[in-house]
Amino acid sequence: MSYSDWLIQLAQTALVLGVAPLLSGVTRKIRARLLRRQGASVLQPYHDLLKLIRKEAVVAENASWLFRAAPYLIFATTWVAAALVPTFASGLPLGAVADIIVIVALLGTARFLLALAGLDVGTSFGGLGSSREMLFASLAEPAMLMAVFTLSLFAGSTQLSSISAYMLGPGAGINISLALALVALIIVSIGENARIPVDNPATHLELTMVHEAMILEYSGRHLAVLEAAAAVKLLLYLSLIACVFTPWGTAVAGAGVLAYAVGLLAWAMKLALLAFLLVLFETAIAKMRVFRVPEFLGIALMLGLLGTILLFVSRVSR
Amino acid sequence: MSQLAASGVGLLLALSVLGIFAARRTPGTRLIYAACAAVCAGLAGVALLRLLAPAGGLESVEIPIGLPLGRTFLGLDPLSAAFALIVNLAAAIVSGYAIGYGVHAREPQRVVPFYPAFIAGMNLVLLAQDAFSFLVGWELMSLASWALVLSEHRSPENRHAALVYLIMASGGALTLLLAFGLLAGPEGGYSFEAIRRVSASGVGPIVLLLALLGAGSKAGLVPLHAWLPLAHPAAPSHVSALMSGVMTKVAVYGFVRLVFDLAGPPAWWWSVPVLVIAAVTALLGVLYALMEHDLKRLLAYHTVENIGIIFIGLGLALAFEASGLRAAAALAFAAAIFHVFNHSLFKSLLFMGSGAVLNATGERDMERLGGLIKAMPATAVAFLVGCIAISALPPFNGFVSEWLTFQAILLSPQLPQWVPRLLVPAVGATLACSAALAAACFVKAFGMTFLGRPRTQAASSAAETDRCSQIAMLSLALLCLLAGILPGFVIDSLGAVTQMAVGARLAPQSGQAWLRIVPIDIHRSAYSGLLVFVMILLAAAATAFAVRRVASHALRRSAAWDCGFPDASPATQYTAGSFAQPIRRVFGSVVFRAREQLTMPRPGDTAVARLQVELRDTVWDALYTPIIRFVAATAERLNRMQFLTIRNYLTLVFAALVALLIIVGTWR
């Protein structure tokens, strides 16, 4: 581990934070164009965050310390999880201390705190959101872990860098388990990021809402931090899919400046493509009823399990 | 060292006798609990020293009492020492809690004398190096805890719980007796040393079955868990903490001792029933817990889930060991014992927290609590840590053992047999599912109890618990964090145990960079809880600092927004029932045959709207109800024999004699 590796790690950590609002700006812009609207500038999320931060925070009278501390902790855990996903370069120092199961679990910690924050004020909307979020998570999290297991069994490792390297190598090819894992991971990403058809990130007053209901009582700087955390989470999922299923172009730690530049460009293009596909899917489909969502996520769980079982019976892993 | 440990048990028994007299006054009660804490701390220290000592022979103490022609052996081998450390560490802290909490007992004479005896019984089980003292300890533990369950005997619920517990405990002890009888063989060598030497062939599968029944019923494996959610909450909370957090671990020890140590080399198919039962236990346990609104019963049901997780690790270890995959077996076994340790910490912590809540409000029903985070800040922090830890979330300890279990699951394609290879992914999915549901369960437990607005007068007038209880809870919370960020030390100290149980140990972890743990290979997987924890703290601090620099500092307190329709009544909050409703609809319709019936009056009608929910305990209905019916019907028939004439009795005696003689005659 050289200093340059740590420097790149630090750069990646800062980068995910800086780019996350841009990514949500881009998705909103694409969505608007697909709906034949002009749409706001892709920089609008930065303006929104800045505006929220400068505003006075209004906190409910009976809110406890947990309500005020939770946004920072949620943001921190999400950010740390995002910093563990290789973006433009892989094989970085943090990859050797926390694997993909840790990433899933860190997102779990963030969700746990968010659900508690939703219950803190004691309003019916907050409870509604928390309850539904935990229901969805009880299917989405195992589905994600099953997809992760499939990938780990292929690569013989739970570290993202190793999985990414394996996918580039000659061992990987078109494989049914891999395809099942990809579909499961996409469904989970849609569910976990509160996108249509599971939830609608653009509404506040809809009875089917989940994520927005939990943060309904937040305002000002607290809301800004939570919005940023949601943006980082979307970036995390897209980077994860890009890193595992389209590992081409990603620089390996210790490569030259040119390789990093290529990696950066490749990452940006992958993210743009994935964002486009995500929004295309969103605009083409209608939102589901709440009790259809468990079936949707259950499909992901079953696909993930099927992929893992196929692997278990078809090969002896290393 | 074994002498020290044995004398510790003697001291506890003496305290039990002293307790009879001391319980009359509050200072006496406090003194007994303080003495228990000191003795347990000493025992934990002895066990730790034994565990870290370089491998030495087993020195055992011989006590010249016991079966005719037999003697009693007490000693600490690594397996005993590991469990003795786990049991006594938790028991010491719980006793510290009891110094403050235990004085609230309505009838201390019914609690204080049995409490040290209960701990002594558990220690005797762990120290026993022969079947006789093992069973004596087991029965002492069962009976003392039964007396403690019955300490508030005026409520019919508790009497029912105690009856069910007594029946299950005696059944369990009976199966263990049979298991040891089989193992001892025709010569009747009841010391573990002799059993190991004989290693009677062919009895292994039966011993496994008997261990699953006997130890499993004490631990709470489905379907033998039925007594656990009745009996654990019925006892005073410090005893509940011991029963749920510690006594179930003694049951796990019994299983490990019988199956891994005494029953000889396992066959691969032994793992199949263990894994199936464990997976079902994990999932059903957490679903039961989710449906429960009584805080202590929720925790008791959740113990069932954790026992499932522990047995998943043990089942994997059996499968790996049978196939000669020693390194993988060591990983799975270490994961299981690590979880045993973790669960003893956070379950004790959560039960103590629920005791503090119960004491402050007089309520166990979450539907009648709420908002306690303001009145009881220290309890809330400790309880929150316990909730996050038990939900297997980083950076706390529950995550580490679950992570290790997942790593073991990922090694199982190496298994040569088809059945476990097909089974293990499904077990993995069940484990993942139950972990996610556990998070939902503890969002509910913490959210309904400590967050929101107080739902009753009792909840709004609560006050913080006493200093002793706070220190005990916070120290357990700290241990949960320490075990989570420094797992390498725990794994290293379990090395001797895994060596003894499965014949291999994990590579030493404490020399790793960043204090990370590397179970198999650095290119395969690694986890540094310390670094993750530090990064989260740094990230949170940096964010808070940056936001403070840029942001407006203005903060206004105002009424809740609630989308513009705030409701002043705390009754309109989400309740435990409404929180669990979506999960009940998705999972409960099959598992609990849940039925909902909504009676909604027509608009304008002022009649009351009513939602009726019906849940069935399918395990109880399918297994216990027929047994109870059969026993009742048989008893009814046998009852007639009371009213026979003397001639009939004489005929019966004669017939019995003839039948016995025929049996004896045809036996040879």
Side-chain angles (χ1 to χ4, degrees), chain A residues 59 61-62 97 122 217 221, chain B residues 374 453 528 552 556 558 562:
Chain A
V59 174
E61 271 145 8
N62 62 329
V97 295
E217 295 296 327
R221 54 181 184 269
Chain B
K374 270 163 244 132
R453 289 171 281 167
S528 164
S552 143
R556 183 155 55 87
S558 110
D562 205 14

Side-chain angles (χ1 to χ4, degrees), chain A residues 90-227:
Chain A
S90 73
L92 293 171
L94 283 186
V97 295
D99 61 3
I100 185 163
I101 300 177
V102 178
I103 295 174
V104 177
L106 278 173
L107 292 174
T109 308
R111 174 173 43 234
F112 191 91
L113 292 170
L114 186 59
L116 285 184
L119 289 171
D120 187 54
V121 177
T123 56
S124 37
F125 275 109
L128 182 92
S130 301
S131 159
R132 288 177 176 176
E133 173 82 359
M134 294 322 283
L135 168 71
F136 295 170
S138 68
L139 289 163
E141 204 179 281
M144 173 125 184
L145 274 178
M146 283 295 116
V148 162
F149 280 5
T150 307
L151 300 172
S152 314
L153 288 172
F154 266 112
S157 166
T158 51
Q159 289 173 6
L160 271 174
S161 295
S162 311
I163 296 174
S164 175
Y166 173 84
M167 290 300 198
L168 270 180
I174 306 279
N175 183 298
I176 185 77
S177 288
L178 220 50
L180 293 176
L182 175 62
V183 175
L185 210 52
I186 289 174
I187 294 180
V188 171
S189 312
I190 292 169
E192 291 280 29
N193 285 296
R195 314 296 297 193
I196 294 175
V198 171
D199 196 2
N200 191 345
T203 62
H204 278 280
L205 271 177
E206 194 186 340
L207 277 177
T208 52
M209 61 192 185
V210 182
H211 181 260
E212 297 298 324
M214 282 188 289
I215 61 173
L216 195 62
E217 295 296 327
Y218 278 109
S219 59
R221 54 181 184 269
H222 303 133
L223 183 60
V225 172
L226 284 172
E227 296 277 359

Side-chain angles (χ1 to χ4, degrees), chain A residues 283-301:
Chain A
T283 44
I285 199 164
K287 197 180 154 327
M288 280 178 189
R289 278 174 52 217
V290 161
F291 281 100
R292 292 298 294 273
V293 174
E295 292 169 22
F296 181 63
L297 293 171
I299 291 172
L301 177 57

Side-chain angles (χ1 to χ4, degrees), chain A residues 156-157 159, chain B residues 403 407 512 517-526:
Chain A
S157 166
Q159 289 173 6
Chain B
W403 186 82
Q407 296 297 339
Q512 291 283 349
I517 48 172
V518 183
I520 299 294
D521 179 9
I522 181 66
H523 295 296
R524 194 176 172 93
S525 54

Side-chain angles (χ1 to χ4, degrees), chain B residues 238-279:
Chain B
H238 56 298
V239 179
S240 310
L242 280 190
M243 287 182 74
S244 220
V246 178
M247 188 176 71
T248 51
K249 309 303 159 325
V250 178
V252 172
Y253 165 81
F255 181 82
V256 170
R257 175 65 79 188
L258 275 170
V259 173
F260 283 83
D261 183 23
L262 300 178
W268 69 267
W269 61 265
W270 290 18
S271 63
V272 176
V274 177
L275 282 173
V276 170
I277 292 175

Side-chain angles (χ1 to χ4, degrees), chain B residues 185-249:
Chain B
E187 288 82 35
Y190 280 98
S191 78
F192 290 166
E193 200 55 55
I195 290 175
R196 266 182 227 120
R197 234 180 304 129
V198 174
S199 65
S201 59
V203 298
I206 309 174
V207 171
L208 174 74
L209 178 74
L210 291 171
L212 274 177
L213 286 175
S217 71
K218 191 60 110 194
L221 286 180
V222 170
L224 302 173
H225 66 284
W227 64 273
L228 205 134
L230 300 174
H232 288 187
S237 294
H238 56 298
V239 179
S240 310
L242 280 190
M243 287 182 74
S244 220
V246 178
M247 188 176 71
T248 51
K249 309 303 159 325

